[in-house]
């Protein structure tokens, strides 16, 4: 992270580059490093790329939900003085981006969703392993990816620690319930900004038919597939992900 990592008041975030802002929103089990390839590439391509650490495990339990995480993003945007930005979210991050866009439609210039929750009700709960021994957790972490080798020991250790941390576990369950409550299907037809969907053909958490549904409901959606790819395309195929995203940004003049 180095010089790009900043801490100001309530916010810890990565920032680099100049130009149109791209705000990256990570998922429930997502570290900022999951987006290293995207962050490094687009911060050198005429974009101001920002990636805040979402307070998933530090909000009061009754405030741990999609709504309040969206409010956090709103405060971050105000803190940074951002306008006409693009939101990019994976998994829960995509859901937060959608909820945010519903309430701030005039501020969002474009939406990028990859393996996003928001439609598929069991996605949040199913993607988070229940407590169990290390080998069970390892298998569940590997199942998120098409190539199990992507689930490094560091990733598996992080998931294992999280599911065995009571504070994190109860907040994870609260987020999962919140995600089900905030199904976005009825709101998507009103989101008129360009939307980019980059999906793994082998995503078992938010399967391909979820991407098809997003594509059908969002008025200005473009759907791109990555073969031999699971729930986190920006981790499994970072170069292909960047290529598809750049093509879309150019096509939409964003």
């Amino acid at each position: 992270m180095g010089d790009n990592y900043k801490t100001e008041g309530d916010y810890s975030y990565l920032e680099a580059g100049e130009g149109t802002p791209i705000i990256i929103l990570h998922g429930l089990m997502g570290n900022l490093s999951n987006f290293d390839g995207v962050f490094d590439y687009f911060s050198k391509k005429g974009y101001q790329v920002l990636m805040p650490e979402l307070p998933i495990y530090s909000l009061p339990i009754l405030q741990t939900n999609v709504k309040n995480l969206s409010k956090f993003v709103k405060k971050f945007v105000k803190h940074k003085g951002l306008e006409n930005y693009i939101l990019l979210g994976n998994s829960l991050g995509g859901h937060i981006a959608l909820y945010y866009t519903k309430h701030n439609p005039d501020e969002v210039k474009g939406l990028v969703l990859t393996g996003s929750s928001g439609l598929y009700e069991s996605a949040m709960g199913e993607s988070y392993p229940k407590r169990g021994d290390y080998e069970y957790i390892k298998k569940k972490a590997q199942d998120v990816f098409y190539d199990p080798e992507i689930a490094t020991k560091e990733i598996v250790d992080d998931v294992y620690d999280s599911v065995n941390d009571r504070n994190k576990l109860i907040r994870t369950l609260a987020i999962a319930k919140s995600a089900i409550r905030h199904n976005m299907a009825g709101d998507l037809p009103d989101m008129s900004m360009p939307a980019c969907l980059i999906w793994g053909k082998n995503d078992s958490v938010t399967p391909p038919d979820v991407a098809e549904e997003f594509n059908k409901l969002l008025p200005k959606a473009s759907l791109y597939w990555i073969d031999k790819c699971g729930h986190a395309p920006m981790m499994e195929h970072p170069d292909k992900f960047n290529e598809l995203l750049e093509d879309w940004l150019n096509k939409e003049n964003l």
Side-chain angles (χ1 to χ4, degrees), residues 7-30:
T7 302
E8 297 165 357
D10 294 333
Y11 311 106
S12 297
Y13 62 98
L14 286 170
E15 179 182 7
E18 295 180 357
T20 299
I22 298 177
I23 305 169
I24 298 175
L25 303 177
H26 62 79
L28 186 59
M29 302 300 294

mmCIF file of all heavy atoms in Angstrom, residues 7-30:
data_model
loop_
_atom_site.group_PDB
_atom_site.id
_atom_site.type_symbol
_atom_site.label_atom_id
_atom_site.label_comp_id
_atom_site.label_asym_id
_atom_site.label_seq_id
_atom_site.Cartn_x
_atom_site.Cartn_y
_atom_site.Cartn_z
ATOM 1 N N THR A 7 -4.795 7.832 6.302
ATOM 2 C CA THR A 7 -5.740 7.801 7.412
ATOM 3 C C THR A 7 -6.056 9.234 7.801
ATOM 4 O O THR A 7 -5.159 10.020 8.115
ATOM 5 C CB THR A 7 -5.163 7.048 8.622
ATOM 6 O OG1 THR A 7 -4.829 5.714 8.225
ATOM 7 C CG2 THR A 7 -6.170 6.968 9.751
ATOM 8 N N GLU A 8 -7.346 9.569 7.722
ATOM 9 C CA GLU A 8 -7.813 10.908 8.068
ATOM 10 C C GLU A 8 -9.109 10.769 8.851
ATOM 11 O O GLU A 8 -10.121 10.340 8.296
ATOM 12 C CB GLU A 8 -8.062 11.736 6.797
ATOM 13 C CG GLU A 8 -6.826 11.977 5.950
ATOM 14 C CD GLU A 8 -7.165 12.480 4.551
ATOM 15 O OE1 GLU A 8 -8.373 12.596 4.225
ATOM 16 O OE2 GLU A 8 -6.228 12.739 3.794
ATOM 17 N N GLY A 9 -9.088 11.119 10.119
ATOM 18 C CA GLY A 9 -10.296 11.027 10.933
ATOM 19 C C GLY A 9 -10.860 9.622 10.959
ATOM 20 O O GLY A 9 -10.188 8.673 11.360
ATOM 21 N N ASP A 10 -12.102 9.468 10.493
ATOM 22 C CA ASP A 10 -12.777 8.169 10.495
ATOM 23 C C ASP A 10 -12.423 7.315 9.280
ATOM 24 O O ASP A 10 -12.941 6.205 9.139
ATOM 25 C CB ASP A 10 -14.304 8.366 10.504
ATOM 26 C CG ASP A 10 -14.787 9.008 11.793
ATOM 27 O OD1 ASP A 10 -14.105 8.838 12.824
ATOM 28 O OD2 ASP A 10 -15.829 9.687 11.756
ATOM 29 N N TYR A 11 -11.568 7.813 8.411
ATOM 30 C CA TYR A 11 -11.349 7.146 7.124
ATOM 31 C C TYR A 11 -9.918 6.640 6.955
ATOM 32 O O TYR A 11 -8.966 7.373 7.183
ATOM 33 C CB TYR A 11 -11.697 8.109 5.980
ATOM 34 C CG TYR A 11 -13.032 8.770 6.162
ATOM 35 C CD1 TYR A 11 -13.118 10.104 6.535
ATOM 36 C CD2 TYR A 11 -14.214 8.045 6.015
ATOM 37 C CE1 TYR A 11 -14.353 10.705 6.739
ATOM 38 C CE2 TYR A 11 -15.445 8.640 6.211
ATOM 39 C CZ TYR A 11 -15.512 9.966 6.574
ATOM 40 O OH TYR A 11 -16.741 10.548 6.781
ATOM 41 N N SER A 12 -9.831 5.390 6.550
ATOM 42 C CA SER A 12 -8.572 4.810 6.092
ATOM 43 C C SER A 12 -8.816 4.358 4.661
ATOM 44 O O SER A 12 -9.795 3.655 4.389
ATOM 45 C CB SER A 12 -8.166 3.619 6.967
ATOM 46 O OG SER A 12 -7.929 4.034 8.296
ATOM 47 N N TYR A 13 -7.940 4.754 3.766
ATOM 48 C CA TYR A 13 -8.221 4.479 2.356
ATOM 49 C C TYR A 13 -6.949 4.539 1.516
ATOM 50 O O TYR A 13 -5.921 5.078 1.934
ATOM 51 C CB TYR A 13 -9.242 5.472 1.819
ATOM 52 C CG TYR A 13 -8.802 6.926 1.849
ATOM 53 C CD1 TYR A 13 -8.282 7.538 0.708
ATOM 54 C CD2 TYR A 13 -8.892 7.680 3.014
ATOM 55 C CE1 TYR A 13 -7.872 8.864 0.726
ATOM 56 C CE2 TYR A 13 -8.486 8.999 3.044
ATOM 57 C CZ TYR A 13 -7.977 9.599 1.903
ATOM 58 O OH TYR A 13 -7.567 10.905 1.933
ATOM 59 N N LEU A 14 -7.059 3.967 0.332
ATOM 60 C CA LEU A 14 -6.011 4.072 -0.679
ATOM 61 C C LEU A 14 -6.435 5.116 -1.702
ATOM 62 O O LEU A 14 -7.617 5.196 -2.053
ATOM 63 C CB LEU A 14 -5.802 2.730 -1.382
ATOM 64 C CG LEU A 14 -5.086 1.629 -0.597
ATOM 65 C CD1 LEU A 14 -5.183 0.307 -1.345
ATOM 66 C CD2 LEU A 14 -3.627 1.985 -0.368
ATOM 67 N N GLU A 15 -5.479 5.888 -2.182
ATOM 68 C CA GLU A 15 -5.777 6.880 -3.211
ATOM 69 C C GLU A 15 -4.560 7.094 -4.084
ATOM 70 O O GLU A 15 -3.434 7.200 -3.588
ATOM 71 C CB GLU A 15 -6.183 8.214 -2.580
ATOM 72 C CG GLU A 15 -6.488 9.291 -3.607
ATOM 73 C CD GLU A 15 -6.839 10.636 -2.972
ATOM 74 O OE1 GLU A 15 -6.715 10.763 -1.733
ATOM 75 O OE2 GLU A 15 -7.211 11.540 -3.717
ATOM 76 N N ALA A 16 -4.780 7.140 -5.397
ATOM 77 C CA ALA A 16 -3.709 7.435 -6.343
ATOM 78 C C ALA A 16 -4.319 7.917 -7.646
ATOM 79 O O ALA A 16 -5.470 7.609 -7.968
ATOM 80 C CB ALA A 16 -2.830 6.205 -6.596
ATOM 81 N N GLY A 17 -3.543 8.679 -8.411
ATOM 82 C CA GLY A 17 -3.973 9.115 -9.730
ATOM 83 C C GLY A 17 -4.779 10.396 -9.711
ATOM 84 O O GLY A 17 -5.179 10.896 -8.651
ATOM 85 N N GLU A 18 -5.014 10.928 -10.901
ATOM 86 C CA GLU A 18 -5.803 12.142 -11.076
ATOM 87 C C GLU A 18 -6.770 11.950 -12.242
ATOM 88 O O GLU A 18 -6.464 11.243 -13.199
ATOM 89 C CB GLU A 18 -4.895 13.334 -11.369
ATOM 90 C CG GLU A 18 -3.966 13.704 -10.221
ATOM 91 C CD GLU A 18 -3.090 14.892 -10.559
ATOM 92 O OE1 GLU A 18 -3.168 15.388 -11.711
ATOM 93 O OE2 GLU A 18 -2.327 15.324 -9.680
ATOM 94 N N GLY A 19 -7.924 12.587 -12.130
ATOM 95 C CA GLY A 19 -8.918 12.486 -13.194
ATOM 96 C C GLY A 19 -10.281 12.135 -12.632
ATOM 97 O O GLY A 19 -10.581 12.410 -11.463
ATOM 98 N N THR A 20 -11.111 11.522 -13.467
ATOM 99 C CA THR A 20 -12.432 11.077 -13.015
ATOM 100 C C THR A 20 -12.277 10.097 -11.853
ATOM 101 O O THR A 20 -11.523 9.129 -11.950
ATOM 102 C CB THR A 20 -13.184 10.376 -14.163
ATOM 103 O OG1 THR A 20 -13.366 11.306 -15.237
ATOM 104 C CG2 THR A 20 -14.544 9.871 -13.697
ATOM 105 N N PRO A 21 -12.973 10.328 -10.731
ATOM 106 C CA PRO A 21 -12.822 9.421 -9.589
ATOM 107 C C PRO A 21 -13.497 8.061 -9.825
ATOM 108 O O PRO A 21 -14.612 7.988 -10.349
ATOM 109 C CB PRO A 21 -13.534 10.159 -8.445
ATOM 110 C CG PRO A 21 -13.660 11.580 -8.897
ATOM 111 C CD PRO A 21 -13.791 11.509 -10.382
ATOM 112 N N ILE A 22 -12.798 7.002 -9.470
ATOM 113 C CA ILE A 22 -13.365 5.659 -9.381
ATOM 114 C C ILE A 22 -13.270 5.246 -7.920
ATOM 115 O O ILE A 22 -12.174 5.162 -7.360
ATOM 116 C CB ILE A 22 -12.600 4.643 -10.250
ATOM 117 C CG1 ILE A 22 -12.680 5.019 -11.731
ATOM 118 C CG2 ILE A 22 -13.171 3.235 -10.042
ATOM 119 C CD1 ILE A 22 -11.880 4.096 -12.649
ATOM 120 N N ILE A 23 -14.428 5.026 -7.297
ATOM 121 C CA ILE A 23 -14.460 4.611 -5.890
ATOM 122 C C ILE A 23 -14.699 3.108 -5.840
ATOM 123 O O ILE A 23 -15.728 2.619 -6.314
ATOM 124 C CB ILE A 23 -15.562 5.357 -5.113
ATOM 125 C CG1 ILE A 23 -15.390 6.867 -5.246
ATOM 126 C CG2 ILE A 23 -15.565 4.934 -3.638
ATOM 127 C CD1 ILE A 23 -16.579 7.669 -4.722
ATOM 128 N N ILE A 24 -13.746 2.375 -5.302
ATOM 129 C CA ILE A 24 -13.834 0.918 -5.230
ATOM 130 C C ILE A 24 -14.365 0.502 -3.865
ATOM 131 O O ILE A 24 -13.853 0.930 -2.822
ATOM 132 C CB ILE A 24 -12.451 0.275 -5.469
ATOM 133 C CG1 ILE A 24 -11.931 0.623 -6.878
ATOM 134 C CG2 ILE A 24 -12.524 -1.235 -5.290
ATOM 135 C CD1 ILE A 24 -10.520 0.117 -7.150
ATOM 136 N N LEU A 25 -15.399 -0.344 -3.864
ATOM 137 C CA LEU A 25 -16.017 -0.829 -2.627
ATOM 138 C C LEU A 25 -15.803 -2.336 -2.523
ATOM 139 O O LEU A 25 -16.288 -3.102 -3.343
ATOM 140 C CB LEU A 25 -17.514 -0.494 -2.628
ATOM 141 C CG LEU A 25 -17.850 1.003 -2.798
ATOM 142 C CD1 LEU A 25 -19.351 1.199 -2.854
ATOM 143 C CD2 LEU A 25 -17.229 1.830 -1.677
ATOM 144 N N HIS A 26 -15.073 -2.736 -1.498
ATOM 145 C CA HIS A 26 -14.721 -4.149 -1.324
ATOM 146 C C HIS A 26 -15.879 -4.947 -0.727
ATOM 147 O O HIS A 26 -16.853 -4.380 -0.222
ATOM 148 C CB HIS A 26 -13.466 -4.291 -0.451
ATOM 149 C CG HIS A 26 -13.632 -3.758 0.957
ATOM 150 N ND1 HIS A 26 -14.274 -4.478 1.943
ATOM 151 C CD2 HIS A 26 -13.241 -2.595 1.528
ATOM 152 C CE1 HIS A 26 -14.261 -3.783 3.067
ATOM 153 N NE2 HIS A 26 -13.647 -2.630 2.848
ATOM 154 N N GLY A 27 -15.753 -6.265 -0.780
ATOM 155 C CA GLY A 27 -16.797 -7.146 -0.274
ATOM 156 C C GLY A 27 -16.630 -7.494 1.188
ATOM 157 O O GLY A 27 -15.741 -6.984 1.883
ATOM 158 N N LEU A 28 -17.475 -8.388 1.655
ATOM 159 C CA LEU A 28 -17.508 -8.773 3.068
ATOM 160 C C LEU A 28 -16.186 -9.364 3.535
ATOM 161 O O LEU A 28 -15.670 -9.015 4.583
ATOM 162 C CB LEU A 28 -18.641 -9.782 3.286
ATOM 163 C CG LEU A 28 -18.939 -10.199 4.719
ATOM 164 C CD1 LEU A 28 -19.302 -8.994 5.563
ATOM 165 C CD2 LEU A 28 -20.075 -11.208 4.736
ATOM 166 N N MET A 29 -15.635 -10.271 2.745
ATOM 167 C CA MET A 29 -14.359 -10.884 3.095
ATOM 168 C C MET A 29 -13.216 -10.245 2.309
ATOM 169 O O MET A 29 -12.137 -10.794 2.221
ATOM 170 C CB MET A 29 -14.403 -12.392 2.786
ATOM 171 C CG MET A 29 -15.500 -13.139 3.502
ATOM 172 S SD MET A 29 -15.342 -13.018 5.288
ATOM 173 C CE MET A 29 -13.828 -13.924 5.544
ATOM 174 N N GLY A 30 -13.489 -9.079 1.726
ATOM 175 C CA GLY A 30 -12.534 -8.495 0.797
ATOM 176 C C GLY A 30 -11.531 -7.574 1.447
ATOM 177 O O GLY A 30 -11.897 -6.618 2.117
#
